[in-house]
Amino acid sequence: MKRIQVVILDLDGTLIDERGTTDRAFLAAGRLLHEHVGIAPDRFARVARVTAQRLWWRATWIDPLSDAFGISAWDGLSENFERAVPALDRMRAWLPAFRQAAWKLALDNVGAAGRGLAEAVGAVYTQHRHEGVRLLPGAADLVETLVREQRRLVVLTNGPGDGQRRKLGSSGLLEYMRGLVISTEVGFAKPDPRAVSLAIERAGGRYEEAVVVGDTYDRDVLGAFACKVPAIWITDQPASHRPQNPLAVPVRSTRAVLPALYALESLPAHLIPLNGQADQQNKPSPELGQ
Ligand SMILES: [Mg+2]
């Protein structure tokens, strides 16, 4: 019997090449503009990215929401946050105005205002975000192997429900998942201990047989620690810069996750940092979360 029965997988940067998709979407918007006004595509891509981010953060009420749900300006440009909890109603209502203003201002910033192109560049960005989803190297093998080994997989992700579901569907991974936990749909986000707790519940598993796999220390790793669940942390940080914690196993890429999981599992029982002592109230564990 495998010790680790439940594998809780982050999505962006762990299974999906989110950064690449976003880069390509901005660049595609830049290419469209280039066809019309001859501005270098990468220049517009750069300006549009910065402009959208500034505009997003300028709305001061967004800050706590972004933090609470793990959402970004890139999502705001392309997703509608369907099925989001009521706490996000204000943001959902604001999104059309945000998009319009972001593209208009970006065009203005490269001297291409007044040509009526805002809607077209926005549509190209959205289309590429939706259709250009790619898996990270090793992600498909990881998921298929874990399922073949009869482990139960759950995706635990901060982000928009529509966007995250679309990524999973178009990448072909959705069918392998026992469940999804998406921050904007459940009302809390990693590292809130309720997130890992709910993922384990949806897998029909227990704390002591779970592991979290993710690429963001503050979200994935601390979210796991909050439930005293070990984490496999995908990171390119040099060892000297990494927070040290015996519950976190650092790996360089998604390809290295499976060997790390086997190594974790093969440790003698008394050395395995599997929890089994998770706080039943699911409160954060300050001694592990620092
Ligand atoms: Mg991630």
Side-chain angles (χ1 to χ4, degrees):
M1 172 79 109
K2 296 274 188 297
R3 287 196 192 105
I4 298 174
Q5 293 286 313
V6 174
V7 183
I8 300 167
L9 295 157
D10 168 53
L11 190 59
D12 298 326
T14 296
L15 298 177
I16 299 286
D17 178 17
E18 169 71 358
R19 190 183 301 177
T21 306
T22 308
D23 288 348
R24 289 189 294 275
F26 276 117
L27 208 52
R31 279 198 299 274
L32 179 76
L33 188 64
H34 176 75
E35 288 168 19
H36 287 271
V37 294
I39 289 164
D42 60 335
R43 182 178 163 222
F44 181 69
R46 207 166 46 245
V47 169
R49 181 184 284 272
V50 172
T51 305
Q53 200 154 33
R54 282 193 187 142
L55 207 59
W56 181 265
W57 291 109
R58 198 184 295 164
T60 49
W61 51 270
I62 275 283
D63 192 359
L65 289 179
S66 294
D67 196 43
F69 293 99
I71 52 181
S72 71
W74 320 141
D75 291 330
L77 284 177
S78 59
E79 309 308 324
N80 292 324
F81 292 76
E82 287 155 15
R83 296 202 236 175
V85 291
L88 289 164
D89 282 354
R90 182 181 182 184
M91 186 207 66
R92 293 183 64 199
W94 173 69
L95 285 175
F98 162 70
R99 285 174 200 161
Q100 196 178 34
W103 292 117
K104 211 161 164 288
L105 195 56
L107 290 167
D108 200 11
N109 287 342
V110 296
R115 293 169 181 260
L117 291 168
E119 202 173 314
V121 290
V124 165
Y125 170 89
T126 299
Q127 184 196 347
H128 278 76
R129 281 272 287 169
H130 290 178
E131 295 173 7
V133 174
R134 291 183 198 171
L135 287 171
L136 284 163
D141 279 350
L142 171 65
V143 166
E144 284 165 15
T145 305
L146 291 172
V147 169
R148 203 182 316 127
E149 293 174 347
Q150 299 189 318
R151 302 180 203 261
R152 300 193 291 281
L153 311 188
V154 176
V155 161
L156 171 58
T157 175
N158 292 350
D162 43 3
Q164 305 307 73
R165 284 173 193 282
R166 190 183 303 107
K167 286 177 206 169
L168 269 170
S170 66
S171 64
L173 296 186
L174 188 59
E175 61 179 299
Y176 293 102
M177 302 303 157
R178 289 289 184 103
L180 308 180
V181 178
I182 303 175
S183 64
T184 51
E185 293 181 354
V186 298
F188 44 81
K190 300 174 282 187
D192 187 315
R194 288 175 293 176
V196 165
S197 192
L198 182 58
I200 292 172
E201 188 188 315
R202 288 192 176 169
R206 296 176 297 154
Y207 287 87
E208 57 267 33
E209 58 187 14
V211 68
V212 170
V213 180
D215 69 310
T216 305
Y217 189 86
D218 291 349
R219 296 284 187 182
D220 302 308
V221 179
L222 293 188
F225 289 177
C227 290
K228 295 185 181 168
V229 166
I232 296 173
W233 177 28
I234 301 167
T235 178
D236 54 10
Q237 279 185 38
S240 56
H241 289 67
R242 280 185 222 133
Q244 299 297 317
N245 191 301
L247 281 175
V249 181
V251 295
R252 298 281 295 176
S253 69
T254 304
R255 277 203 185 99
V257 168
L258 208 52
L261 188 141
Y262 294 150
L264 193 63
E265 222 167 25
S266 68
L267 287 172
H270 69 284
L271 291 179
I272 297 172
L274 295 180
N275 61 78
Q277 308 125 44
D279 185 333
Q280 293 309 300
Q281 277 75 49
N282 300 331
K283 286 182 182 146
S285 175
E287 76 277 13
L288 292 170
Q290 302 302 306

Short mmCIF file of all heavy atoms in Angstrom, two decimals, residues 10-14 190 214-216 220, ligand 1:
data_model
loop_
_atom_site.label_atom_id
_atom_site.label_comp_id
_atom_site.label_asym_id
_atom_site.label_seq_id
_atom_site.Cartn_x
_atom_site.Cartn_y
_atom_site.Cartn_z
N ASP A 10 -1.00 21.81 -7.44
CA ASP A 10 -1.21 23.18 -7.90
C ASP A 10 -1.33 23.14 -9.43
O ASP A 10 -0.90 22.16 -10.07
CB ASP A 10 0.00 24.02 -7.45
CG ASP A 10 0.03 25.37 -8.11
OD1 ASP A 10 -0.99 26.09 -8.04
OD2 ASP A 10 1.08 25.73 -8.70
N LEU A 11 -1.88 24.18 -10.03
CA LEU A 11 -2.07 24.16 -11.49
C LEU A 11 -1.02 25.01 -12.22
O LEU A 11 -0.16 24.49 -12.93
CB LEU A 11 -3.49 24.65 -11.82
CG LEU A 11 -3.94 24.47 -13.26
CD1 LEU A 11 -3.92 23.01 -13.68
CD2 LEU A 11 -5.35 25.05 -13.46
N ASP A 12 -1.07 26.34 -12.02
CA ASP A 12 -0.18 27.24 -12.77
C ASP A 12 1.26 27.12 -12.28
O ASP A 12 1.54 27.28 -11.10
CB ASP A 12 -0.65 28.70 -12.61
CG ASP A 12 -2.05 28.91 -13.18
OD1 ASP A 12 -2.38 28.26 -14.18
OD2 ASP A 12 -2.81 29.72 -12.61
N GLY A 13 2.16 26.87 -13.21
CA GLY A 13 3.57 26.76 -12.85
C GLY A 13 3.95 25.38 -12.33
O GLY A 13 5.12 25.12 -12.08
N THR A 14 2.94 24.53 -12.14
CA THR A 14 3.20 23.16 -11.69
C THR A 14 2.82 22.17 -12.79
O THR A 14 3.61 21.32 -13.16
CB THR A 14 2.39 22.87 -10.40
OG1 THR A 14 2.89 23.74 -9.37
CG2 THR A 14 2.53 21.43 -9.95
N LYS A 190 -5.16 29.15 -0.87
CA LYS A 190 -3.87 28.81 -0.26
C LYS A 190 -3.18 30.09 0.15
O LYS A 190 -3.23 31.04 -0.61
CB LYS A 190 -2.99 28.07 -1.28
CG LYS A 190 -3.57 26.77 -1.81
CD LYS A 190 -2.71 26.18 -2.91
CE LYS A 190 -2.90 26.87 -4.24
NZ LYS A 190 -2.19 26.22 -5.37
N GLY A 214 3.61 22.01 -5.52
CA GLY A 214 3.36 23.35 -6.04
C GLY A 214 4.64 24.14 -6.22
O GLY A 214 5.71 23.74 -5.76
N ASP A 215 4.52 25.29 -6.87
CA ASP A 215 5.73 26.07 -7.21
C ASP A 215 5.82 27.39 -6.45
O ASP A 215 6.76 28.15 -6.67
CB ASP A 215 5.76 26.35 -8.72
CG ASP A 215 4.67 27.32 -9.13
OD1 ASP A 215 3.50 27.10 -8.75
OD2 ASP A 215 4.98 28.32 -9.81
N THR A 216 4.86 27.67 -5.57
CA THR A 216 4.89 28.95 -4.85
C THR A 216 4.99 28.69 -3.35
O THR A 216 4.07 28.11 -2.75
CB THR A 216 3.62 29.77 -5.15
OG1 THR A 216 3.51 29.92 -6.56
CG2 THR A 216 3.71 31.16 -4.52
N ASP A 220 1.65 27.44 -1.84
CA ASP A 220 1.55 25.97 -1.83
C ASP A 220 2.22 25.35 -0.60
O ASP A 220 1.63 24.51 0.08
CB ASP A 220 2.20 25.41 -3.11
CG ASP A 220 1.54 25.96 -4.35
OD1 ASP A 220 0.30 25.87 -4.44
OD2 ASP A 220 2.25 26.49 -5.23
MG MG B 1 1.57 27.83 -9.06
#
